[in-house]
């Protein structure tokens, strides 16, 4: 079932019509109303930009925003899964991808949107200040962003993803999105 045309928040829709790039939090908020219409117990599972930007576009993600996003929601302790795809600031598709034989999504893997207190533009700036992260040029172009919850620690994480100076290895800088604290960088 497609829920893309069932948007109720005109404020969010108006913003999306005026912008082609969204921060990760803006994309999540845009997608959330569709998820709630799908299931009022829906919680955020993950959010990640999709690498569909034009190859010759310089500075992709340099402002902490991207044009293309996949935002996944689930219902705690069930196998219910819902995916919202955003293209150029608008919901392109919103679909139930529940697989009846799949394992349930434990509550400790899901996040409340209210717990996301720091957004991609701010955390990209912090990652750049730490150094060692550079925009990708071919695959994983520019800077990339992902939110997911660490099920062991319970910390909602944002990964700011780029490349090392030689553009040979990806680099991920992990932040706690509730506190904004830098946790670790990995190559």
């Amino acid at each position: 079932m497609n829920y893309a045309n069932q948007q109720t928040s005109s404020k969010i829709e108006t913003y999306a019509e005026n912008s082609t790039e969204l921060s990760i939090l803006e994309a999540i908020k845009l997608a959330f109303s569709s998820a709630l219409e799908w299931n009022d117990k829906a919680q955020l599972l993950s959010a990640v930009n999709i690498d569909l930007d034009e190859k010759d576009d310089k500075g992709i993600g340099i402002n902490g925003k991207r044009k293309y996003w996949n935002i996944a929601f689930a219902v705690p302790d069930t196998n219910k899964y819902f995916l919202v795809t955003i293209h150029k600031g608008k919901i392109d598709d919103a679909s139930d991808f529940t697989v009846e034989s799949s394992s349930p999504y434990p509550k400790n893997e899901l996040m409340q949107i209210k717990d996301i207190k720091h957004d991609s533009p701010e955390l990209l700036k912090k990652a750049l200040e730490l150094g060692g992260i550079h925009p990708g040029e071919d695959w994983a172009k520019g800077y990339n962003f992902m939110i997911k919850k660490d099920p062991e620690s319970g910390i909602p994480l944002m990964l700011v993803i780029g490349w090392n100076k030689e553009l040979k290895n990806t680099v991920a800088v992990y932040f706690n999105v509730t506190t904004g604290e830098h946790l670790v960088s990995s190559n």
Side-chain angles (χ1 to χ4, degrees), residues 9-74:
S9 175
S10 61
K11 184 175 182 182
I12 291 174
E13 286 177 4
T14 301
Y15 174 97
E17 289 172 9
N18 296 326
S19 175
T20 61
E21 290 185 324
L22 300 174
S23 71
I24 199 166
L25 187 54
E26 290 168 338
I28 291 167
K29 287 179 178 179
L30 175 62
F32 192 48
S33 60
S34 288
L36 288 177
E37 287 183 19
W38 165 72
N39 189 302
D40 63 0
K41 293 180 177 84
Q43 293 182 9
L44 180 65
L45 178 63
S46 65
V48 63
N49 66 270
I50 310 167
D51 202 23
L52 294 176
D53 295 276
E54 297 76 26
K55 274 193 179 269
D56 60 348
D57 192 2
K58 302 291 183 208
I60 298 168
I62 193 69
N63 60 355
K65 298 182 177 192
R66 297 290 298 243
K67 293 179 184 175
Y68 306 97
W69 295 96
N70 272 341
I71 314 298
F73 298 91

Side-chain angles (χ1 to χ4, degrees), residues 8 29 33 51 65 67 71-72 82 84 110 113 125 136 140 168 172:
T8 58
K29 287 179 178 179
S33 60
D51 202 23
K65 298 182 177 192
K67 293 179 184 175
I71 314 298
F82 188 73
V84 178
L110 304 175
I113 294 172
K125 183 178 178 183
K168 299 229 184 260

